Amino acid sequence: MNDFERHLAAQPFRTPPADLRAAILAATPAASWRDWLWPSPLAWAALALIWVALYAVEAPARNAARASAALRPDDREIPRQAVLAFALDRDRLLAEIARNRLPPAP
Amino acid sequence: MKRSLRAIFSRKWAARVLFALACLATILAVACVVGNRIMRNAWETYRAEAIRRGVKLDLNDWIVPADRDRDGFFGAPIFQSSNVERTRAALQQSGAEMEVCGNERPAELRKIQREYVEKGLIPSASDDLGGDILRGLDAKYGEVWTALREAESRPHGRLAWDPESSIMGNEHMIMLAGVRLHLLRLAAHVARRDGASAEDELRGILRFAHTADDPPSLLYAMIRTLYVGLACDGVWEGIHARVWDDAQLERIEAELRRFDLVADLSCGMAGDRAFWNWAFDDLILTRSGRRIFWSGSDVKEPLWIKWVPEFWFRQDQLRLNDWHDAYQAQFNPQGGPLRVAAFPRPARWYPLAGLTARLTRSNNAHLEHVISVQPRLQQARLACALERHRLASGTYPPALGSLVPNWIPSLPRNVKTGKAPHYELVEGGSYEIRPDLPVRDRPTSNGERTEGVWRP
């Protein structure tokens, strides 16, 4: 820091006149929720529109997939928990059978 | 410095970051929706085409409802859940004789006889080795045996493949014990030279194997393979001891001819495919039941899997079905040789096919096992025909072709080579049957077992 800079640094700040301060602050726009809609509300609206369109496309397709996987008239609904228990049983038994494997052919 | 930090955390920058994140999320959502649509269409197209080809993709097509008919085979008291624990407890007290799984030779029967004497199951060892074994088995497993015989006196039943009942484990446990008891008793009857009773025991084993006819799952195909393989050991026991007459051997060969373990494997794998397709559909539509895919696995279910989009699973499901198509294509309906090397290997793991890799990794081991047991079944059939030839003419034929059609309708072919098993007459008026071409090692004495070789 040179002498001039030291001189400037030593200068005390003066409080601006109250009326000037009030006038400047009054001219500044107040913060609002619109600040969050950067770069423009239109851009956010476009994004929202895309999400609505995605939902409109996806929901019927999902329902159609559900319908195609639906039960035929003579089918019966298979309870999920039962299938889980069943799968566990299946793997355990396969391992057990593998242990019971036959000795090499005679 | 402070000013730059303040700029980063300013409302203006926060709004920019928020917008960037919203754009990123939108791009990802668009990608997921487009991906879902593409893979969903691909799956629907594949599914329709597979159904046209006659593939049964629906689990409901494979379900075998639990037969709880009070008069049916599985309606017998021994299969009732209230009796299962008692049966299990009785079988858990079994000694070494229940573990040998058909390796009982006369020498081992002597060992079992000694064990029964030591345990007081029979008063003393007599010259009637078979009789002592039968008495010991009655003393030890009398209650289970009586209940099993009662079940066997009932009409035929199919082992249930029904997620709602989930009882097959108990049934298999009981039936496997039944198979082993039959096998031990068969060996005892053979030791007494009682061919009729030995045949009856063999039929008991095959009866259990028939409960898994048209196996709706790989599990059932493996159960059937296990029982049939053990039955073949029983056939070998009787033929080695020459206890069966022509009519008995003809019946036994005809009974064994009804089994085709390779076709069973194909059928069981097709049933498993329907099962896993059900699990995939359920996972995609409900996002629950994911544990099915990790059941019995050492690998823990990844936490991120619940966030995976539909197309990931559909792609995996298609890959699994392609794998099954390639697998089933190797089974020749005309019964030609299986090109084992052409069977698809387990799918490699990569992020878009994680479940397929998990579901296919052990299937080749099952294939190898079936391929190793099928020749045993063929050898048993040939041994019956050869024995019938010997009973009729006093000698074994010079070549297997002489057995057709009088002693066997057609020669069984090796599943790998498509050729009839290797057969040759050996010194002492005996013969050898090998599943493949001649191998170097030969049995050292009559009746001794050597890898893959039958020599009575």
Side-chain angles (χ1 to χ4, degrees):
Chain A
M1 195 181 279
N2 60 27
D3 288 347
F4 179 68
E5 286 171 332
R6 268 194 293 277
H7 177 71
L8 283 180
Q11 293 299 314
F13 282 106
R14 283 192 300 171
T15 311
D19 51 345
L20 177 62
R21 190 169 186 275
I24 290 171
L25 288 179
T28 310
S32 79
W33 61 271
R34 285 177 163 268
D35 293 347
W36 290 100
L37 296 181
W38 184 91
S40 81
L42 206 62
W44 282 95
L47 284 186
L49 199 66
I50 291 173
W51 280 90
V52 170
L54 289 181
Y55 181 78
V57 167
E58 183 67 0
R62 211 170 161 71
N63 289 339
R66 209 180 289 266
S68 77
L71 301 174
R72 296 168 303 187
D74 53 343
D75 287 350
R76 83 170 194 219
E77 193 169 358
I78 301 165
R80 200 173 304 120
Q81 280 306 314
V83 175
L84 174 58
F86 196 61
L88 288 167
D89 247 11
R90 174 191 175 280
D91 284 4
R92 182 182 58 75
L93 280 167
L94 265 175
E96 195 176 293
I97 287 168
R99 278 198 302 277
N100 269 310
R101 274 190 176 174
L102 300 170
Chain B
M1 186 66 179
K2 275 182 189 171
R3 195 173 294 171
S4 60
L5 274 177
R6 208 178 302 137
I8 288 171
F9 291 110
S10 69
R11 191 181 304 152
K12 179 178 155 190
W13 276 97
R16 287 177 181 190
V17 169
L18 196 64
F19 184 71
L21 288 176
C23 286
L24 189 65
T26 308
I27 290 168
L28 286 176
V30 169
C32 282
V33 168
V34 171
N36 287 352
R37 208 168 172 78
I38 291 171
M39 292 317 300
R40 205 178 285 139
N41 286 342
W43 167 244
E44 288 302 329
T45 307
Y46 173 85
R47 189 167 176 265
E49 183 268 334
I51 290 171
R52 262 198 306 278
R53 276 190 283 127
V55 180
K56 292 200 282 182
L57 289 178
D58 195 321
L59 182 56
N60 271 288
D61 291 333
W62 293 92
I63 285 180
V64 180
D67 176 14
R68 282 286 163 252
D69 174 9
R70 285 172 64 91
D71 299 326
F73 182 71
F74 289 111
I78 193 168
F79 292 114
Q80 303 302 316
S81 51
S82 52
N83 290 329
V84 163
E85 280 313 311
R86 207 159 51 148
T87 307
R88 191 190 299 275
L91 294 172
Q92 274 170 353
Q93 292 168 9
S94 60
E97 83 273 30
M98 289 295 275
E99 302 298 326
V100 292
C101 252
N103 273 338
E104 292 307 316
R105 307 284 304 121
E108 274 90 39
L109 288 184
R110 286 268 174 227
K111 204 169 84 182
I112 295 172
Q113 184 190 40
R114 278 199 300 276
E115 187 186 311
Y116 285 172
V117 172
E118 283 164 17
K119 289 185 176 173
L121 293 167
I122 51 176
S124 61
S126 71
D127 291 339
D128 181 9
L129 176 62
D132 282 355
I133 298 297
L134 290 172
R135 280 188 288 277
L137 285 172
D138 282 345
K140 199 167 181 182
Y141 304 106
E143 194 184 349
V144 173
W145 180 245
T146 306
L148 268 171
R149 293 301 282 177
E150 192 276 329
E152 288 175 33
S153 67
R154 292 161 174 251
H156 173 69
R158 272 187 84 193
L159 196 51
W161 174 238
D162 188 349
E164 278 191 277
S165 58
S166 195
I167 49 168
M168 59 188 176
N170 291 331
E171 289 168 347
H172 167 59
M173 182 268 293
I174 291 167
M175 289 200 296
L176 183 57
V179 167
R180 287 168 166 173
L181 279 173
H182 274 301
L183 205 49
L184 281 169
R185 292 178 64 88
L186 184 149
H189 289 306
V190 166
R192 301 181 89 187
R193 308 207 57 75
D194 181 354
S197 299
E199 185 195 1
D200 189 41
E201 304 293 352
L202 184 67
R203 283 185 179 283
I205 298 174
L206 295 176
R207 171 94 193 258
F208 289 129
H210 278 302
T211 61
D213 280 343
D214 301 323
S217 159
L218 171 67
L219 171 65
Y220 285 35
M222 299 314 291
I223 286 176
R224 196 164 150 96
T225 300
L226 178 64
Y227 296 174
V228 170
L230 291 170
C232 290
D233 279 356
V235 174
W236 194 83
E237 291 283 343
I239 287 177
H240 172 62
R242 295 180 172 173
V243 295
W244 284 316
D245 61 27
D246 183 75
Q248 288 167 334
L249 289 164
E250 187 179 14
R251 282 196 297 270
I252 291 170
E253 194 278 325
E255 188 63 38
L256 293 178
R257 206 187 311 146
R258 294 173 60 191
F259 292 93
D260 182 345
L261 302 178
V262 174
D264 290 341
L265 175 68
S266 168
C267 185
M269 286 295 288
D272 265 20
R273 172 194 198 157
F275 179 80
W276 290 117
N277 272 314
W278 182 93
F280 262 111
D281 282 345
D282 187 64
L283 172 62
I284 288 164
L285 294 174
T286 66
R287 287 308 164 107
S288 60
R290 291 184 305 277
R291 280 177 55 212
I292 289 176
F293 289 98
W294 276 268
S295 63
S297 163
D298 302 334
V299 185
K300 224 177 148 192
E301 178 186 335
L303 285 173
W304 46 263
I305 203 130
K306 62 183 161 191
W307 305 111
V308 173
E310 174 180 345
F311 72 81
W312 187 93
F313 293 119
R314 284 292 182 209
Q315 193 272 353
D316 213 0
Q317 188 177 16
L318 273 169
R319 188 170 148 85
L320 178 69
N321 280 276
D322 283 342
W323 187 93
H324 273 281
D325 283 337
Y327 193 91
Q328 293 290 346
Q330 300 309 318
F331 293 98
N332 186 342
Q334 272 74 46
L338 288 180
R339 291 181 304 130
V340 178
F343 273 83
R345 300 283 105 192
R348 277 191 308 147
W349 193 92
Y350 68 88
L352 283 176
L355 299 180
T356 295
R358 146 108 181 82
L359 298 179
T360 56
R361 67 181 177 179
S362 58
N363 286 335
N364 284 82
H366 299 308
L367 171 71
E368 289 292 341
H369 181 58
V370 168
I371 284 177
S372 74
V373 178
Q374 178 78 1
R376 185 186 296 223
L377 176 61
Q378 295 171 337
Q379 285 171 320
R381 287 182 54 207
L382 280 174
C384 289
L386 287 164
E387 188 61 14
R388 290 182 67 203
H389 188 283
R390 187 192 67 81
L391 288 170
S393 63
T395 58
Y396 294 111
L400 289 179
S402 317
L403 297 173
V404 182
N406 288 344
W407 316 111
I408 194 167
S410 61
L411 290 181
R413 303 279 164 183
N414 185 285
V415 286
K416 271 185 178 175
T417 62
K419 296 176 183 169
H422 175 72
Y423 165 82
E424 67 179 74
L425 291 169
V426 295
E427 60 217 42
S430 187
Y431 65 85
E432 281 180 16
I433 319 176
R434 297 168 188 269
D436 277 307
L437 296 173
V439 289
R440 275 76 55 199
D441 56 340
R442 284 169 179 271
T444 52
S445 63
N446 276 0
E448 184 163 328
R449 291 170 182 218
T450 304
E451 187 82 19
V453 181
W454 278 50
R455 184 178 181 182

